[in-house]
Amino acid sequence: MGISKIRNFIEYLLRAKYVYPTSSTRRYGVLLDLVYKHKIKTIMEIGVYSGRRAMEMINTAKIRYSPEEITYLGFDLFEEMNDEILKNQLSKRPDTLDSLQTKIGKTGATIHLFKGFSEETLPKVAAQKNRYPEIGLVFVDGGHAVETIMSDWKNVRKIITEKTIVVFDDYYLERPDLTEKFGCNKVIDSLGDEYNIGFFDNIDSFDQENGKLNIRMVMVSLK
């Protein structure tokens, strides 16, 4: 193992075992564990936001692979995000496409960023899936409206294989007032017996005006 791979391994251990477990977003540590333990080298992320998660996952993949072997596909509205969409999707304002292309590109991986509503961009990628390496991990964390997540899932399942792990963020616990319109709960509840479903133990809690919000991630794969 070369010096750069050792450095990436140490960074992975620090983040997954120490930084995330003691943070207010401890659930994100599972993404790095999945990339490392399942030897992921092709990552799809719906909801790039600041690019932080993308870079962490790519750097974890670099423990095993050279940068040119790693591919990242990211979907977001980037500079097309506006206040109305933020409110309707319970989302966050992402950085611009150009800034993220530069930022994530510094990892040396092959980066593909797709700007626009995922209901429009995902089908185009799904129709041309043979242009990209087989997807190892899909992280669904874009728009938080139920309709958006359901649309993302319908398009993602056209791309995945038995080797693909799909991780949904924003499974809300004990908040029926919220899950009618937001979160992945309804999507997960709609899945049939052909899927493996796993709930991660790491749960993040946030105080809100309407009560405490507890969030966990869910892993889905084909049987």
Side-chain angles (χ1 to χ4, degrees), residues 66-130:
S66 60
E68 57 268 20
E69 293 178 283
I70 302 167
T71 301
Y72 172 85
L73 295 84
F75 299 77
D76 215 313
L77 284 173
F78 303 108
E79 55 267 32
E80 292 181 1
M81 179 67 77
N82 60 44
D83 292 340
E84 182 180 0
I85 298 171
L86 285 172
K87 180 180 179 181
N88 292 338
Q89 295 290 337
L90 282 186
S91 194
K92 298 178 181 178
R93 191 178 298 278
D95 294 345
T96 66
L97 187 148
D98 286 345
S99 66
L100 286 166
Q101 185 72 50
T102 299
K103 184 178 182 180
I104 303 173
K106 291 179 180 179
T107 62
T110 299
I111 310 299
H112 302 280
L113 298 181
F114 304 91
K115 181 168 67 174
F117 290 103
S118 57
E119 63 189 38
E120 299 171 359
T121 54
L122 270 173
K124 294 177 181 178
V125 173
Q128 302 178 10
K129 63 181 180 180
N130 292 333

Side-chain angles (χ1 to χ4, degrees), residues 10-103:
I10 293 172
E11 180 183 335
Y12 153 68
L13 288 178
L14 287 173
R15 292 187 183 280
K17 308 304 179 184
Y18 297 99
V19 176
Y20 276 119
T22 59
S23 74
S24 61
T25 54
R26 60 196 297 265
R27 68 191 189 279
Y28 289 121
V30 303
L31 295 172
L32 307 188
D33 280 336
L34 289 173
V35 171
Y36 178 70
K37 293 176 181 178
H38 292 270
K39 303 179 181 180
I40 303 295
K41 62 179 178 179
T42 303
I43 301 162
M44 174 181 287
E45 184 176 27
I46 304 171
V48 182
Y49 184 40
S50 68
R52 175 182 174 183
R53 230 68 63 192
M55 295 179 69
E56 290 177 351
M57 290 189 286
I58 291 169
N59 286 334
T60 301
K62 285 164 64 176
I63 296 170
R64 301 186 186 277
Y65 305 104
S66 60
E68 57 268 20
E69 293 178 283
I70 302 167
T71 301
Y72 172 85
L73 295 84
F75 299 77
D76 215 313
L77 284 173
F78 303 108
E79 55 267 32
E80 292 181 1
M81 179 67 77
N82 60 44
D83 292 340
E84 182 180 0
I85 298 171
L86 285 172
K87 180 180 179 181
N88 292 338
Q89 295 290 337
L90 282 186
S91 194
K92 298 178 181 178
R93 191 178 298 278
D95 294 345
T96 66
L97 187 148
D98 286 345
S99 66
L100 286 166
Q101 185 72 50
T102 299
K103 184 178 182 180

